[in-house]
Amino acid sequence: MSKLRHGIIGCGLISTWHAYAINELSKTMPIQLVGAADVRLESARDFCAKYGVQAYETIEDMLNSDEIDSVSICTPSGFHANLAMQAAKHGKHIVVEKPMAITTEQLNALEDTCKQNHVILTSISQMRFLPNIQRARKAVQGGELGKMLCGDVYMKFYRSPEYYGQSNWRGTWKLDGGGALMNQGIHGIDQLLYIMGPVKSVYARCKTLARKIEVEDTASVVLEYESGALGVIQGTTSVYPGYPKIFDFNGELGTIKMEEKHFIEWKVKGKGTPSDIVFTRADPNGANRPDGNDMGEHIPQLNDFFCSILENRPPMIDVKEGRRPVDLILAIYESSRTGRLVDMKEFANRG
C-alpha cells in the first residue's frame, strides 16, 4: 500500500472540514482522498466534483471497495455509531464526527466492534490538539494554580428557529441525540474534561424554553470532579445573539480564563504572566454560526489518526477517550430526567 486511501461518508457541511484537512496533509503524508458517498447521490456527486474524486453510488459500495482504507463519517449524529460499526466490519479505519454515538448501548457496541475487527477509530475532539488547550491542561494538572477549586464552561450559543427547520433531524432525540449539550456543546465539555480531569457526579436541569424541538435548548449542570473541585456547565442554543464559550479554571493560587481557545486572563499569586501566554479574543460572531470553527483545526487530529495507522499505534483520542464527553452528557440527561444526582461510576456500571 503506497498511500492510505480515504473516503468520506456524508457530504454535508462538516465534510468540507475533512476534505480540506486531508488535502493539506496529503502534501507531506502518503494519504489521498479518493471518494465520497451520501444517501443523496446528487450531494455526493456535487461534493466529489468539487474535489476531483470518485462519487460512490452507495455507502455500501464504498465500504465494499478494496480502494478504501479508511473513512470519515460526517452524517447526522444518529447514524454515526451504526455506520462506524459497518465500516469496522469491513476493515476500514474510522474518523467519526462528534458525537461518536448517542446512547450507552451504541457506545459499548462500537467499542466492542472496533476491538473485534482490529481497526483504529478516532472521534473528532480537535480542540485537545491546540497549543493553548494543552498549555491550560499542563497548568491545571501540573499545579501552577495550586489546589483546583472550580472548573466551569459557559456555552451560550444561538441557533435560530430556521436552523432547526432546515432539516428533519436537528433537534430530535433519534438523530441529534440531544440539543445544546450533545450537539453544540460537546466540544466545550470535552475541553473542560481534558483540562480538569474526570467527573465524580453531576446534577442537572435541561429544558426546552425557546425552540420547538424535542431536545434541550437550555441546560445548567453542577459537577463534582474526582479531584474534589466543583464545576458548572451552562449550554444553550436559545440565547441571542450568542456568545463565545467561556472557561474559568480557578485554583487556590490563581485563575485562567479562556474564550474558546484564547487566553483572556492568567493570574497567579505572586507571579507575572508566563512568557508563553498571549492574550487574544475569539470571533464574536462564531457562536451563532454552525460553520464558526476554524477549518484548519481538524488537521492536527487527522494527522495523528493517519500516523496511528502508519505506525500501528492507538490514536491520541481512541474509542475510550472519545466516549468520555458523551458518557458525561448522557449522565447529565439522566440527572435531568430523574431529578437526582448521578454518580458517574454507578452510571457506567449500569451501562
Side-chain angles (χ1 to χ4, degrees), residues 130-290:
L130 302 182
N132 281 0
I133 308 306
Q134 294 183 354
R135 181 65 178 91
R137 172 183 164 87
K138 179 183 177 183
V140 169
Q141 299 292 329
E144 291 183 47
L145 304 184
K147 178 182 178 181
M148 292 306 298
L149 309 176
C150 302
D152 313 320
V153 61
Y154 303 93
M155 304 176 288
K156 295 187 176 182
F157 303 142
Y158 178 77
R159 294 293 184 270
S160 68
E162 291 75 21
Y163 165 83
Y164 288 107
Q166 287 170 357
S167 70
N168 59 7
W169 66 271
R170 288 175 177 163
T172 66
W173 287 111
K174 182 178 181 181
L175 292 180
D176 219 356
L181 300 183
M182 186 68 85
N183 187 322
Q184 288 77 19
I186 191 169
H187 285 313
I189 291 171
D190 182 72
Q191 185 172 330
L192 186 70
L193 290 175
Y194 182 61
I195 293 171
M196 285 296 297
V199 169
K200 179 181 178 182
S201 64
V202 299
Y203 180 79
R205 293 300 301 272
C206 302
K207 303 185 77 171
T208 309
L209 297 177
R211 299 287 171 262
K212 294 180 179 180
I213 55 177
E214 297 175 6
V215 298
E216 84 285 356
D217 61 20
T218 309
S220 290
V221 186
V222 176
L223 311 170
E224 181 179 0
Y225 296 97
E226 288 186 2
S227 67
L230 300 178
V232 171
I233 296 172
Q234 284 195 324
T236 79
T237 53
S238 54
V239 172
Y240 184 84
Y243 299 91
K245 292 189 292 286
I246 295 292
F247 296 86
D248 279 321
F249 304 106
N250 311 109
E252 282 187 308
L253 301 179
T255 288
I256 296 171
K257 187 185 288 284
M258 304 186 77
E259 188 178 69
E260 300 283 349
K261 61 185 178 181
H262 305 269
F263 290 120
I264 58 174
E265 186 174 313
W266 187 300
K267 292 184 178 179
V268 177
K269 186 176 181 180
K271 296 182 179 180
T273 304
S275 60
D276 61 335
I277 301 304
V278 177
F279 297 123
T280 53
R281 301 304 295 246
D283 176 2
N285 298 313
N288 60 10
R289 299 201 322 266

Side-chain angles (χ1 to χ4, degrees), residues 99-103 107 123 182 186 189 193 322-331 347:
M100 59 187 285
I102 58 173
T103 69
L107 289 166
S123 176
M182 186 68 85
I186 191 169
I189 291 171
L193 290 175
R323 69 177 291 169
R324 290 184 189 277
V326 185
D327 283 327
L328 179 58
I329 293 168
L330 292 173
F347 184 75

Side-chain angles (χ1 to χ4, degrees), residues 1 23 47 59 67-68 70 80 83 94 112 126 134 136 138 141 176 203 251 262 272 277 295 303 328 338 344:
M1 179 173 63
N23 285 338
F47 177 88
I59 293 170
E67 297 180 355
I68 296 288
S70 58
H80 287 176
L83 285 170
I94 305 153
D112 290 343
Q126 75 273 22
Q134 294 183 354
K138 179 183 177 183
Q141 299 292 329
D176 219 356
Y203 180 79
H262 305 269
I277 301 304
M295 191 174 290
N303 177 75
L328 179 58
T338 63
M344 290 302 298

Side-chain angles (χ1 to χ4, degrees), residues 332-346:
I332 288 169
Y333 290 158
E334 174 77 1
S335 175
S336 183
R337 184 182 67 81
T338 63
R340 298 176 179 175
L341 181 141
V342 172
D343 180 276
M344 290 302 298
K345 289 184 179 178
E346 292 179 3

